[in-house]
Amino acid sequence: AEVTDMGNSSGFPQVLIQAQRELLNYSGTGISVLEMSHRTSDFSNIINTTENLLRELLNIPENYKVLFLHGGGTGQFSAVPLNLIGLKKDRCADYIVTGIWSAKAAKEAEKYGKVNLIHPNLDRYTSIPDSSSWSLNPSASYVYYCCNETVHGVEFNFIPETKDVIIVSDMSSNFLSRPIDVSKFGLIFAGAQKNIGCAGVTVVIVKEDLLGNALKECPIVLDYQVQAGNSSLYNTPSCFSIYIMKLVLEWIKSNGGAEAMEILNKKKSSLIYDIINTSNGFYCCPIDVSCRSRMNIPFRIGKKEGDEALEKLFLDGASKLGMISLKGHRSVGGIRASLYNAVTLEDAQALSAYMKEFLKDHLT
Ligand code: PLP
């Protein structure tokens, strides 16, 4: 039976089949991308095509650089302050903390400057407090937020307003799941492994005029100016991961681009939220309706804090039907349905049908 991974990967079947087909002989070169030097014209073609596709799909303005870096999203938790916290003399930054990923990013930034945590005292991450209650610092070097908190399922459906302070956003788990206005940001980054490829490469989209402000202690591989000046080839890039990203972007383009992904992701997530909302509390999603994620839907079963025996039964049954990786993150428990671009409408329909069935069998 076909297995649907609702967890942490982008298993686009067509992409994997194509990658397999050309694994030993990429585009008539007689070698695999795995064997290819990053200094060859064949690899230049791959990385340039990948960049052009990203520029086209997200309408990236010309005054932005696109970088393909190592180190994952976590690497960017360090790279962002190392490159940008020195933009203004106070060396401080505002971090809007809405879940574990923005909390981790803020903690890392504290090594390099002053960090102002916006609403840090939430006991649980289930909402985005009204922006009128945020106390943003006008002399901050940047305002940082995580656009989609993967573990908690809290997603921004708006871009925060700031006055003359650049915005930095971690889009690791909702990148290219919807269109975005890149011109509103100073910097966007996203690890590839959720929506646009596999682990090993992280996309950084950065406004050109922010380059050249790295702190002295910034490791050279994380220095945006150095990487931009070398077209991401200062050191050996993650060639194969970049190639996989190219295939995924080609797939997204031929399936209608970011706009089409948004329509699909709205439909997929509505299928699941509709059942949660009409289950009389049998399925319980603690996240405020206004910031419920289209990508990651955490929920508990049986009661608000979750009936663990029932949840185990749910996961076992799902696994028998070929739906895997539905277990919630270890820090929150329960169930989490991740509906990244590679998850099809049919996959989401299968999950919603199973949820309906399970509800019927277990509602007492
Ligand atoms: N940011 C977000 C929103 C994430 O979901 C993750 C990982 O899941 C990270 C950052 C960390 O990414 P990495 O594991 O690539 O360092």
Side-chain angles (χ1 to χ4, degrees):
E2 193 172 294
V3 172
T4 299
D5 189 338
M6 303 235 161
N8 197 14
S9 72
S10 302
F12 294 82
Q14 299 89 329
V15 166
L16 298 179
I17 289 165
Q18 186 174 345
Q20 187 185 43
R21 199 182 323 117
E22 49 194 27
L23 183 63
L24 301 180
N25 180 3
Y26 171 72
S27 187
T29 56
I31 59 166
S32 170
V33 177
L34 288 166
E35 301 168 282
M36 200 176 270
S37 157
H38 62 293
R39 303 282 175 205
T40 57
S41 59
D42 289 316
F43 185 70
S44 283
N45 257 330
I46 291 175
I47 195 167
N48 293 340
T49 307
T50 312
E51 175 172 343
N52 291 337
L53 281 162
L54 267 179
R55 287 190 175 277
E56 184 184 338
L57 289 167
L58 286 175
N59 220 348
I60 301 176
E62 274 181 18
N63 61 331
Y64 282 74
K65 293 285 187 193
V66 177
L67 310 176
F68 300 97
L69 305 183
H70 290 281
T74 308
Q76 292 309 308
F77 295 169
S78 320
V80 165
L82 281 162
N83 281 274
L84 301 180
I85 209 158
L87 273 174
K88 293 189 189 160
K89 66 172 179 8
D90 288 0
R91 270 206 195 183
C92 63
D94 287 340
Y95 276 71
I96 305 171
V97 176
T98 53
I100 69 159
W101 294 112
S102 43
K104 282 190 176 183
K107 190 152 192 286
E108 180 65 12
E110 279 169 2
K111 292 180 184 167
Y112 306 108
K114 281 183 258 117
V115 167
N116 174 32
L117 298 179
I118 312 289
H119 59 76
N121 297 324
L122 297 173
D123 53 347
R124 292 182 317 147
Y125 297 117
T126 54
S127 62
I128 301 175
D130 191 79
S131 56
S132 61
S133 68
W134 303 353
S135 51
L136 296 175
N137 174 0
S139 56
S141 293
Y142 59 88
V143 175
Y144 179 105
Y145 75 103
C146 177
C147 198
N148 182 64
E149 282 286 355
T150 321
V151 171
H152 294 92
V154 172
E155 184 171 19
F156 278 75
N157 58 20
F158 64 97
I159 300 172
E161 294 273 337
T162 61
K163 281 205 188 77
D164 303 323
V165 179
I166 59 155
I167 303 176
V168 172
S169 187
D170 173 2
M171 298 194 183
S172 293
S173 54
N174 64 353
F175 195 61
L176 265 170
S177 68
R178 54 164 84 191
I180 39 156
D181 181 354
V182 174
S183 72
K184 294 256 164 49
F185 295 85
L187 184 142
I188 291 166
F189 71 85
Q193 63 267 32
K194 306 290 197 298
N195 273 312
I196 52 161
C198 60
V201 60
T202 305
V203 171
V204 173
I205 302 171
V206 55
K207 209 168 173 194
E208 249 164 26
D209 61 9
L210 300 177
L211 301 177
N213 292 291
L215 303 181
K216 257 195 342 287
E217 57 268 44
C218 179
I220 198 152
V221 288
L222 296 182
D223 187 320
Y224 299 142
Q225 187 176 40
V226 171
Q227 290 289 8
N230 288 277
S231 307
S232 306
L233 302 178
Y234 176 76
N235 65 324
T236 315
S238 199
C239 298
F240 196 77
S241 302
I242 294 169
Y243 155 72
I244 293 290
M245 189 190 295
K246 171 176 119 37
L247 298 184
V248 173
L249 298 179
E250 285 167 349
W251 180 90
I252 292 178
K253 184 177 168 184
S254 66
N255 281 276
E259 290 77 12
M261 294 302 114
E262 176 166 47
I263 293 169
L264 207 57
N265 288 323
K266 271 188 190 163
K267 277 192 194 155
K268 281 154 42 186
S269 53
S270 298
L271 278 170
I272 309 305
Y273 283 124
D274 284 351
I275 294 182
I276 291 172
N277 294 342
T278 55
S279 70
N280 274 331
F282 181 74
Y283 295 117
C284 175
C285 172
I287 312 303
D288 269 13
V289 173
S290 62
C291 57
R292 284 184 172 180
S293 169
R294 291 179 195 157
M295 294 282 100
N296 309 98
I297 307 181
F299 61 91
R300 304 298 311 231
I301 303 181
K303 51 184 181 181
K304 230 172 162 184
E305 60 283 11
D307 173 334
E308 286 182 16
L310 211 49
E311 288 173 347
K312 183 170 179 327
L313 217 58
F314 179 90
L315 290 171
D316 290 346
S319 164
K320 285 200 186 99
L321 293 171
M323 291 182 273
I324 60 168
S325 303
L326 279 161
K327 198 169 191 309
H329 190 268
R330 60 190 185 283
S331 62
V332 290
I335 314 293
R336 175 177 51 163
S338 292
L339 304 175
Y340 302 123
N341 286 343
V343 173
T344 63
L345 186 59
E346 292 72 32
D347 294 334
Q349 280 162 343
L351 175 60
S352 87
Y354 172 60
M355 286 173 72
K356 264 189 213 150
E357 215 34 52
F358 192 84
L359 169 69
K360 211 167 72 207
D361 292 348
H362 297 277
L363 188 64
T364 47

